[in-house]
């Protein structure tokens, strides 16, 4: 548990809406959900962009690159720098997964 | 694994700025769990593409020299089929998630395994070979 100081004017205003602790907790929860959702949306948008570019989900894409030399040749002829995309795709997938977990955690409380 | 801070990524950008022309930061994301850094620049007549991604998989990198959109030389450590087979032959399926440093030659027509590359080492290579 952490103690956070807030301006006394804010506390006075918060009193209009109920118990100050409760109001501040609800406001913070709401803010965190909003910010977390924004991170999820950003990551989801990047993941979708890569999925559309390569007509595949990441796991299939990665598996095909490792198992199918014809697929690798095809991807390379269309996108010679596909490695850049694959690395970033993985980044945004992790980002998406991580923020979704965080949102679930916040929402449960 | 501790991921690079904003300051660490800024140091990478400064290094690029000291060695390349027309440096442009394309992506810059970081938090305590992962980071993403991408910079484009120019050296003589070449386009230079630099990218480092830090995730649970480790440090992935891609440093490429391009001429009119075509690969002249590229270094990365993404484990594709060529890299896996060259390093592990028939046993490659046991190493699918391992990062494998390698080098691509002109138009990616040649391929060889390398030691792990850093931005400093790549810029040295660039100054010596380009």
């Amino acid at each position: 548990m952490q103690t956070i100081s807030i301006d006394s004017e804010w506390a006075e205003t918060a009193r209009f809406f109920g118990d100050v602790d409760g109001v501040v907790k609800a406001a913070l929860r709401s803010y965190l959900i909003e910010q977390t959702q924004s991170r999820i949306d950003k990551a989801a948008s990047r993941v979708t962009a890569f999925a559309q570019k390569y007509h595949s989900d990441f796991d299939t894409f990665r598996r095909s690159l490792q198992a199918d030399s014809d697929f690798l040749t095809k991807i390379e002829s269309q996108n010679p720098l596909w490695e850049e995309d694959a690395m970033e795709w993985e980044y945004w997938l992790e980002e998406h997964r991580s923020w979704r977990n965080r949102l679930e955690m916040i929402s449960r409380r | 694994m501790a991921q690079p801070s904003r300051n660490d990524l800024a140091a990478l950008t400064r290094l690029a700025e000291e060695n390349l022309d027309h440096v442009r930061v394309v992506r810059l994301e970081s938090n305590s769990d992962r980071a993403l850094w991408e910079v484009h620049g120019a050296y003589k007549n070449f386009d230079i593409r630099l990218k480092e991604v830090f995730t649970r998989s480790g440090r992935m990198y891609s440093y490429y020299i391009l001429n009119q959109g075509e690969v002249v030389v590229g270094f990365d450590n993404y484990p594709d089929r060529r890299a896996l087979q060259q390093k592990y032959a028939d046993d490659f399926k046991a190493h699918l998630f391992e990062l494998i440093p390698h080098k691509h030659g002109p138009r990616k027509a040649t391929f060889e395994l390398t030691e792990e590359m850093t931005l400093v080492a790549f810029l040295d290579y660039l100054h010596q070979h380009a």
Side-chain angles (χ1 to χ4, degrees), chain B residues 54-99:
Chain B
F54 300 81
T55 66
R56 281 181 306 181
S57 300
R59 185 181 79 94
M60 293 183 278
Y61 63 84
S62 167
Y63 309 128
Y64 273 77
I65 304 172
L66 307 179
N67 187 10
Q68 297 185 332
E70 292 199 335
V71 173
V72 178
V73 175
F75 295 88
D76 70 80
N77 62 351
Y78 201 82
D80 65 26
R81 186 175 176 84
R82 268 171 316 217
L84 285 161
Q85 280 210 310
Q86 190 150 335
K87 186 162 183 186
Y88 293 109
D90 292 342
D91 190 33
F92 78 91
K93 284 184 181 167
H95 302 272
L96 295 180
F97 294 96
E98 186 178 313
L99 298 171

